[in-house]
Amino acid sequence: MDVFKLLIPEVILFLAACALLMLGGSAGTRARKIAPAVALIALLVALVAAVFASPTGQIDRTGALAVTEMSAYVKAISIGVSILFVLLAWPTSASGDSNRSIHFSTETSEYFALLLLAVAGMCVVGAANSLPTLFLGIELSSIPTYIMVTMSRPQQQAQEAGVKYFFLGAAAAAILLLGMAYLFGVTGEMRLDRIADAVRGMTVGHVPALLTLAGVLLIVGLLFKLAAAPLHFYVGDVYQGAATPVTAAISYIPKVSGTIALLKILDALGGSGGGAWQGAGMLDPKLIKLLVIVAVLTMTVGNVLALLQYNVKRVLAYSSVAHSGYILVGIASMALLAPGPRAEAMGAVAFYLLAYGIMNTAAFGVLMMLPGAAREPALSAETYDDIQGIARRRPWPALAMTLCCLSLIGVPATIGFFGKLYIVRPAIGSGDTQLLWLAVLTMINAVISAAYYLKIVATMWTLPEPEHRNHATPPSERPLPVVIAVGLSAAATLVFGIVLPLAGALYHKATTLTIALGR
C-alpha cells in the first residue's frame, strides 16, 4: 500500500509543523497568537484521521510500516492527550509570547511546531515495522522535547535541564542503535516481523548470546525513554527545570514511545506468533528476569525518592518514574503469561498509558492555575509552600488536584483505580508465584505512593496559608485554555472511574490489540 495512506495523521502533523516553522519567521505578534490555534486544529484533524481514516491491517510495499489496531490506538491516545498539552501551553500575554508558566520569547510558533513533531514521532513508533523506522520514530518523539525544555523559559536551570536531557538522551540513543545493530547482525533482517520469524526458526534452548546482548542493549536504551530505574537520574532536575507545560509533555511523550517500542522489540525477540513470548520458547529467561527486576526497582525507587522531595514538580517527576514501573509490571507479566492472560496484560498496559496521560496532565495543569510565592523561577505554583492552604481561596483547583492525586494513588471511582486493577489482575489470576509477588509489590508501592500524594492534598486543604504570602495580591489570571484542559482531564478521570461500562469497554477493546501485523 502507498506509504502516505498509512501515515495520514503523521503527514497532517508534519505539514502543520512546517507551516508553523514558516510562520515563526514573522516578527509580528499576530503570528505568535495564531500558532496555538494552528497546532490545535492540526491535532483535531489528525485525531479524526487516526480514528476514522487509518486502514488497519495494512503494510506498505517496503514493510517498514504496518498499521494495526494497536498503532491506530496509539495514534488516537497520543494525539488526544497532546491536545491537552497545547491547551496548557497556550499563550495568554498580549504579545503572544508567554503565559504564567512558560515563556516562548519570539519562538512561540517554533515551540508548537516541535510539539507537533514529537506527537508525530509517537505515531510513527506505533506504525513502525522495521528497526530504522522504529529508531527514527523514537528520536523524532524525543529530540524536539530536548529543545522544548531549553526554550521553555529564560532561566539558567531550564537551559541546564535541556543540556542534561540532550546528552543523556544521545547516550541512550547510541545504546539503542547498537542493540539494533546486533539484532540485525544475528538475524540478518531489518523488518520486525521477519526478525520474529528468524528468531522462531532458531533451535529452542540455543538462543545465540549476541541475541541476548542485543535484547539487553535495546531494553537499556528504551528504559531511558521510560525514565525507569536505574536510568531515571535525570528526571528530577529536568522536570523541575522545564516550564510546567513542558514537564507535562515530557512526562508522557517519551513514555508512550518507549513503551510501544519496547513491546515491539520484545515481540520480535520472542519470535511471537500470537502466543506468549515464553510460550514461543525464544525470549531469553534472562531478559524476562531483567524486566521483572527493573519493574520492581523502578516502582520502589520512584516512590521512595518522591517521598523525599520538597518541590511538587519533583514529586510528580519521581512519581512518573513509579508509574513507569507499573507499566513495566504489565510488560513483565506479558512475558510470563499464557496467550489468554497475556492479552489481558496487553490491554492493561494500553489502558494505563491513556489513564496516566489524563490524570497526570490535570495535576500539572492545576499547578499552572495557582500562583507562585515568588516570581522566579516561575509565576505559577511549584513548591509545597506555593500550594499551602490554597483551597481556602481556590477550592476548585484544589478539588481537581485532589481528584488527580487520588486517581494517581489508585483510589476507587477514578480511572487510576482501574489502571492499577487491570495491571495486577492477570498476575494475580495466573497462579505463578513470581507474578503473584510482582502484583503484591505493586500494591505495596501504590500504598507508599499514597504518602506523598496525600501530603499534597493535606497541604492544600488542612494547613493555613503562610504568613508571608501577600494576601493583597489580586487573584491570578485563570486562562481559559488551561481551565479547559484541567476540566477535561478531571472529568475524564472521574467519568472513567464511575461509569464502569465505559472503562470496561475501553479495556476490552485494548485486550484485542495486537502488537504486530498478523500477531
Side-chain angles (χ1 to χ4, degrees):
M1 174 174 274
D2 186 6
V3 65
F4 290 106
K5 293 182 180 179
L6 300 180
L7 295 176
I8 295 176
E10 291 89 337
V11 171
I12 293 171
L13 296 175
F14 177 76
L15 293 177
C18 291
L20 287 170
L21 289 174
M22 295 179 64
L23 195 64
S26 172
T29 59
R30 184 177 181 183
R32 291 195 290 270
K33 288 185 175 181
I34 67 173
V38 173
L40 181 61
I41 293 172
L43 286 170
L44 290 172
V45 174
L47 179 60
V48 172
V51 174
F52 298 106
S54 294
T56 57
Q58 301 292 330
I59 189 169
D60 78 306
R61 289 188 292 269
T62 65
L65 297 164
V67 178
T68 64
E69 291 188 353
M70 166 62 81
S71 66
Y73 177 86
V74 171
K75 292 180 184 183
I77 66 170
S78 299
I79 297 171
V81 174
S82 296
I83 291 174
L84 302 177
F85 300 149
V86 171
L87 294 175
L88 292 183
W90 201 286
T92 57
S93 64
S95 59
D97 64 352
S98 63
N99 62 26
R100 287 172 41 81
S101 299
I102 190 168
H103 192 280
F104 309 108
S105 185
T106 59
E107 286 80 36
T108 304
S109 297
E110 288 85 346
Y111 174 86
F112 287 103
L114 291 169
L115 179 58
L116 294 185
L117 290 175
V119 178
M122 285 193 289
C123 297
V124 170
V125 170
N129 191 49
S130 70
L131 295 178
T133 309
L134 186 64
F135 181 78
L136 290 174
I138 293 171
E139 293 309 302
L140 182 58
S141 67
S142 300
I143 293 176
T145 62
Y146 307 152
I147 308 172
M148 289 163 61
V149 170
T150 305
M151 69 185 295
S152 60
R153 52 186 179 183
Q155 303 294 332
Q156 183 177 356
Q157 66 178 139
Q159 296 162 12
E160 291 177 353
V163 171
K164 177 182 290 187
Y165 195 22
F166 168 74
F167 282 111
L168 293 175
I175 294 172
L176 181 65
L177 198 57
L178 182 61
M180 289 183 174
Y182 274 117
L183 185 57
F184 171 70
V186 174
T187 62
E189 297 289 349
M190 285 287 191
R191 284 176 49 170
L192 294 176
D193 54 342
R194 291 179 179 175
I195 290 174
D197 294 337
V199 171
R200 195 163 60 250
M202 297 176 183
T203 305
V204 176
H206 293 82
V207 178
L210 285 180
L211 186 63
T212 301
L213 176 61
V216 171
L217 291 171
L218 289 165
I219 291 173
V220 169
L222 292 172
L223 289 181
F224 177 86
K225 307 300 180 184
L226 285 163
L231 300 177
H232 67 286
F233 38 77
Y234 68 94
V235 166
D237 292 339
V238 173
Y239 283 34
Q240 182 182 357
T244 303
V246 180
T247 306
I250 64 176
S251 70
Y252 185 73
I253 293 174
K255 198 181 300 291
V256 172
S257 60
T259 299
I260 301 305
L262 184 58
L263 288 172
K264 288 175 175 285
I265 290 295
L266 292 176
D267 185 74
L269 288 172
S272 177
W277 297 320
Q278 186 189 31
M282 298 308 302
L283 188 59
D284 195 315
K286 297 185 183 68
L287 296 182
I288 300 177
K289 192 170 296 184
L290 175 63
L291 289 171
V292 173
I293 293 173
V294 169
V296 174
L297 187 64
T298 301
M299 287 188 296
T300 307
V301 169
N303 284 319
V304 171
L305 289 179
L307 287 171
L308 305 176
Q309 306 305 312
Y310 295 96
N311 183 287
V312 179
K313 284 176 68 176
R314 292 182 74 93
V315 171
L316 294 176
Y318 287 112
S319 78
S320 176
V321 175
H323 285 281
S324 292
Y326 304 143
I327 292 171
L328 287 169
V329 168
I331 295 176
S333 299
M334 292 175 64
L336 290 165
L337 291 169
R342 181 196 179 205
E344 295 181 11
M346 175 72 250
V349 171
F351 183 90
Y352 204 92
L353 288 175
L354 176 60
Y356 176 75
I358 291 173
M359 54 190 178
N360 196 58
T361 301
F364 284 111
V366 171
L367 291 181
M368 293 181 60
M369 296 173 64
L370 303 178
R375 291 190 62 83
E376 303 295 346
L379 293 173
S380 57
E382 289 197 2
T383 66
Y384 280 108
D385 187 63
D386 293 338
I387 66 173
Q388 182 174 326
I390 202 70
R392 289 170 174 78
R393 289 190 298 126
R394 305 287 178 80
W396 290 110
L399 186 62
M401 178 64 89
T402 301
L403 177 62
C404 295
C405 287
L406 294 177
S407 183
L408 288 164
I409 295 170
V411 172
T414 64
I415 192 173
F417 168 75
F418 288 104
K420 287 187 173 60
L421 173 65
Y422 295 148
I423 285 287
V424 300
R425 189 168 66 178
I428 293 175
S430 67
D432 185 283
T433 304
Q434 187 176 3
L435 283 178
L436 183 60
W437 274 109
L438 194 58
V440 170
L441 291 173
T442 302
M443 290 184 283
I444 291 175
N445 271 279
V447 173
I448 295 173
S449 71
Y452 57 82
Y453 285 127
L454 292 180
K455 181 181 177 180
I456 295 175
V457 175
T459 301
M460 299 177 78
W461 288 95
T462 65
L463 296 181
E465 290 193 82
E467 294 182 0
H468 60 78
R469 183 174 290 166
N470 185 3
H471 295 279
T473 302
S476 62
E477 61 176 323
R478 298 182 179 88
L480 183 60
V482 176
V483 174
I484 293 174
V486 173
L488 290 175
S489 300
T493 299
L494 195 58
V495 168
F496 277 99
I498 295 177
V499 184
L500 302 183
L502 187 60
L506 180 59
Y507 169 66
H508 177 72
K509 174 64 177 179
T511 59
T512 65
L513 303 177
T514 53
I515 299 173
L517 192 65
R519 290 181 155 74

